[in-house]
C-alpha cells in the first residue's frame, strides 16, 4: 500500500542542525512531490515547504527560507528535510506527506511523524 | 498571508451531526481539503476538493464550500470521530495554508 516511513525521533542542542528522512513505497516516487509539515507542542499544522521528486524543484515557506533544505534520492525513493540553526521554537513533530504538486493539491498519505526536540 | 479561521471546539452528542466551519476571504473560489488528526497520530485526509471523499472514508463525512465559508459535516457522529480537524487550501505552490484547527468533542 502507499506508505511513507520516517526516521526516528531526535534531540538536538540549540544552534545544531537536524535531518529527517521519509521513505516512500507503494507508488511511483518520481511522479509526485513531498511536502513537510510540522506541529509544535499543542499547536496546529504548519506547512514548511515541498519538493518535486520529478525535477527536484523546491518550494519553501517564506519564514523558513535560508534555514531549510529539502532533497530527494529517487534511487531509493527517499525524501530528506534538513533544518539548520535550531532553536527551542523548532521543537515539534515533523511530518512528510505525499503532494501531487499540482494546483490545488492535497496531502495524502502522511508519514508517522518524527519528534525533534531542541534543548540544551 | 491568507488566513483560515476555525472554531476552537465543537461539541456533539453521539448520533447527532457535527458542523465544522473554515472561514477565509473568498474561500469559495479555492479548493478546500480537510484532515482528521487523532491524539498522537498523523493527520488523515477525509475530504479533498471541497466535497470528495478518499477511499475508505465513511460517507458520514461530507463537505461544502461557498463564498467565505467552507464546511465539514459529520453525520451520525461516533465516539471514534473525536479528533482535531484542519482545513487547508493551496494559496500558491510556495504557500499552503492550514486552518487553526477544531477539536470535535463527542
Amino acid at each position: 500500500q502507499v506508505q511513507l516511513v520516517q526516521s526516528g525521533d531526535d534531540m538536538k542542542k540549540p544552534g545544531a542542525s537536524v535531518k529527517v528522512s521519509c521513505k516512500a513505497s507503494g507508488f511511483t516516487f518520481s511522479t509526485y512531490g513531498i511536502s513537510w509539515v510540522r506541529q509544535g507542542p499543542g499547536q496546529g499544522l504548519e506547512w514548511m515547504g515541498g519538493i518535486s521528486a520529478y525535477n527536484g524543484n523546491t518550494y519553501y515557506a517564506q519564514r523558513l527560507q535560508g534555514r531549510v533544505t529539502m532533497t530527494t534520492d529517487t534511487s531509493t525513493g527517499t525524501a530528506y528535510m534538513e533544518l539548520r540553526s535550531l532553536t527551542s521554537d523548532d521543537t515539534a513533530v515533523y511530518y512528510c506527506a505525499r503532494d501531487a504538486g499540482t494546483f490545488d493539491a492535497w496531502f495524502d498519505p502522511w508519514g508517522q511523524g518524527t519528534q525533534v526536540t531542541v534543548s540544551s | 498571508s491568507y488566513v483560515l479561521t476555525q472554531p476552537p471546539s465543537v461539541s456533539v452528542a453521539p448520533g447527532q451531526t457535527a458542523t465544522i466551519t473554515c472561514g477565509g476571504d473568498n474561500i469559495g473560489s479555492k479548493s478546500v481539503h480537510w484532515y482528521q488528526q487523532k491524539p498522537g497520530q498523523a493527520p488523515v485526509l477525509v475530504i479533498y476538493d471541497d466535497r470528495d471523499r478518499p477511499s475508505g472514508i465513511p460517507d458520514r463525512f461530507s463537505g461544502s464550500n461557498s463564498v467565505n465559508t467552507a464546511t465539514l459535516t459529520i453525520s451520525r457522529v461516533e465516539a471514534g470521530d473525536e479528533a482535531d480537524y484542519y482545513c487547508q487550501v493551496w494559496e500558491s505552490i510556495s504557500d499552503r495554508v492550514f486552518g487553526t484547527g477544531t477539536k470535535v468533542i463527542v
Side-chain angles (χ1 to χ4, degrees):
Chain A
Q1 75 279 23
V2 176
Q3 194 174 8
L4 299 173
V5 178
Q6 299 182 222
S7 49
D9 297 347
D10 208 344
M11 181 174 290
K12 296 294 185 183
K13 294 192 183 303
S17 300
V18 68
K19 192 169 186 176
V20 181
S21 68
C22 170
K23 183 167 176 56
S25 60
F27 64 96
T28 303
F29 183 70
S30 60
T31 62
Y32 285 88
I34 296 290
S35 270
W36 291 87
V37 176
R38 69 178 179 178
Q39 186 171 38
Q43 303 297 308
L45 303 174
E46 177 190 9
W47 183 76
M48 301 177 65
I51 181 168
S52 166
Y54 174 70
N55 57 20
N57 286 350
T58 53
Y59 312 93
Y60 301 140
Q62 191 169 10
R63 67 187 298 264
L64 293 173
Q65 284 272 3
R67 276 212 303 139
V68 66
T69 300
M70 296 175 187
T71 57
T72 59
D73 180 345
T74 54
S75 67
T76 61
T78 304
Y80 299 90
M81 185 283 299
E82 181 180 36
L83 189 61
R84 299 176 292 279
S85 302
L86 294 169
T87 71
S88 57
D89 289 342
D90 296 313
T91 293
V93 178
Y94 289 75
Y95 296 100
C96 62
R98 190 178 68 169
D99 177 356
T102 55
F103 177 71
D104 277 346
W106 53 87
F107 306 126
D108 180 54
W110 296 56
Q112 83 277 18
T114 296
Q115 173 71 54
V116 174
T117 303
V118 183
S119 174
S120 55
Chain B
S1 183
Y2 194 70
V3 176
L4 294 173
T5 302
Q6 300 180 234
S9 64
V10 167
S11 293
V12 59
Q16 299 304 303
T17 298
T19 301
I20 305 159
T21 58
C22 174
D25 184 35
N26 199 27
I27 195 174
S29 67
K30 305 177 186 296
S31 288
V32 180
H33 319 304
W34 291 90
Y35 304 88
Q36 175 195 68
Q37 185 180 32
K38 296 182 179 180
Q41 297 185 21
V44 173
L45 179 72
V46 294
I47 292 288
Y48 65 97
D49 282 350
D50 296 339
R51 60 181 66 247
D52 292 332
R53 279 179 290 105
S55 62
I57 301 301
D59 61 6
R60 299 184 298 103
F61 289 82
S62 62
S64 64
N65 187 14
S66 180
V67 192
N68 293 316
T69 303
T71 302
L72 174 68
T73 302
I74 311 172
S75 304
R76 304 182 301 282
V77 166
E78 302 174 356
D81 298 330
E82 189 161 283
D84 294 328
Y85 292 82
Y86 295 89
C87 56
Q88 179 251 317
V89 300
W90 191 100
E91 179 68 356
S92 75
I93 198 162
S94 59
D95 192 10
R96 320 291 191 86
V97 182
F98 286 99
T100 49
T102 298
K103 175 180 282 297
V104 170
I105 301 165
V106 180

